[in-house]
Amino acid sequence: GDSVTQMEGPVTLSEEACLTINCTYTATGYPSLFWYVQYPGEGLQLLLKATKADDKGSNKGFEATYRKETTSFHLEKGSVQVSDSAVYFCALRPMGGGSNYKLTFGKGTLLTVNP
Amino acid sequence: EAQVTQNPRYLITVTGKKLTVTCSQNMNHEYMSWYRQDPGLGLRQIYYSMNVEVTDKGDVPEGYKVSRKEKRNFPLILESPSPNQTSLYFCASSLRTGYEQYFGPGTRLTVT
C-alpha cells in the first residue's frame, strides 16, 4: 500500500539556519504530494503541494520539489524563524483518489527554532 | 469566518461510557473525514463521508461510528470507549473530492 517516510525528529535549529526535512514515498503512479504544518495547539494547515512530477510547491519561504525519479518531496527553507517552530507532516493522495480523498501521512517532524 | 469546529476540545472519560465528538463546518463542503493522531504513527483516517447519508470506513474504523444527517455536521461516536482510543482526533472537510482539506483544531481524548 501507499506509505510516506519522513525524517525522524526532533530537529532543533538556530534562527536564520537552513532547513531540510526529507520525505520519500511509496505509491503507484503519480500521487499528489503535500506538506502540512501543525502549530502548537492547532489543527493542520496545508503549507504547500505538488500534483505532478517536477512541480515545485512554495509558500511562506518553504519549497518542495516533486521528484519522481527518487520518489521524494523534501521540504526546504533557506532561513528559518522562531515562528516556524511546529510539526511538519508530509502526505500523499493517490493518483485518481477514487471516492475517498484520503491522505496518507508521514509520522511528522517536530521543528524547534531557537532565537 | 470559514472554519471547522470540534467539541469538546478536551475530554477525559472512563472505559465503556458512550461519548460523541462533534464536528461542524460552515463552508458547505461535501467531503468530511475523521483522523486520529498518535505519537510515532502520524494521522490515520477513521471514517469519511462523501456527502449527506454517504459514509465509509477509513483505515482504522474499529470501535467508532459516524453519521452524516446534515451536510455541515459529522459527529464521531464511541459507543464503548477503551483506553486504546486515547488519542488526538481531527475532523477535516473539503469542498469535494480532490480539493484542499481543512482541519479542525483537534479533540484530545483520554480514556481511563
Side-chain angles (χ1 to χ4, degrees):
Chain A
D2 298 339
S3 66
V4 173
T5 303
Q6 61 182 103
M7 62 185 287
E8 300 277 334
V11 174
T12 302
L13 297 173
S14 297
E15 206 164 23
E16 299 184 4
C18 295
L19 168 72
T20 299
I21 300 178
N22 292 332
C23 172
T24 57
Y25 68 90
T26 301
T28 303
Y30 292 84
S32 296
L33 301 173
F34 307 85
W35 277 101
Y36 278 82
V37 58
Q38 183 180 28
Y39 298 105
E42 298 184 12
L44 280 73
Q45 302 173 26
L46 179 64
L47 180 59
L48 53 84
K49 67 179 181 182
T51 58
K52 61 182 187 296
D54 299 324
D55 264 3
K56 178 185 282 188
S58 62
N59 186 25
K60 299 182 180 180
F62 291 89
E63 293 183 340
T65 301
Y66 189 141
R67 302 286 188 199
K68 178 64 175 173
E69 63 276 13
T70 55
T71 61
S72 64
F73 193 55
H74 305 321
L75 182 68
E76 299 176 326
K77 187 174 187 183
S79 177
V80 295
Q81 306 300 313
V82 172
S83 57
D84 294 327
S85 297
V87 180
Y88 292 83
F89 291 93
C90 186
L92 72 78
R93 177 188 175 231
M95 184 177 68
S99 62
N100 182 12
Y101 186 29
K102 186 186 82 169
L103 294 167
T104 297
F105 286 88
K107 296 180 179 180
T109 302
L110 173 62
L111 170 66
T112 302
V113 180
N114 295 318
Chain B
E1 178 188 357
Q3 58 183 350
V4 179
T5 57
Q6 296 179 226
N7 283 291
R9 293 290 311 278
Y10 302 91
L11 179 60
I12 300 174
T13 189
V14 296
T15 299
K17 185 176 181 182
K18 180 179 178 180
L19 66 92
T20 299
V21 183
T22 65
C23 173
S24 182
Q25 48 90 8
N26 62 0
M27 296 170 279
N28 202 35
H29 284 175
E30 291 184 356
Y31 180 94
M32 298 185 74
S33 179
W34 276 103
Y35 295 87
R36 59 178 289 174
Q37 181 182 10
D38 300 291
L41 296 176
L43 279 81
R44 295 174 292 168
Q45 190 185 53
I46 303 170
Y47 268 95
Y48 68 96
S49 169
M50 292 293 295
N51 212 324
V52 176
E53 302 293 359
V54 181
T55 64
D56 206 347
K57 298 176 181 178
D59 293 324
V60 288
E62 295 76 20
Y64 304 94
K65 288 175 57 178
V66 293
S67 68
R68 188 90 182 273
K69 293 184 170 56
E70 305 167 280
K71 198 171 190 178
R72 64 183 293 130
N73 296 323
F74 190 45
L76 180 69
I77 303 157
L78 285 72
E79 295 268 1
S80 183
S82 63
N84 65 11
Q85 293 178 297
T86 293
S87 187
L88 179 58
Y89 291 87
F90 288 101
C91 181
S93 73
S94 66
L95 184 61
R96 57 182 63 90
T97 299
Y99 286 68
E100 176 185 347
Q101 285 195 29
Y102 294 82
F103 283 78
T107 295
R108 185 166 293 282
L109 172 66
T110 301
V111 183
T112 61

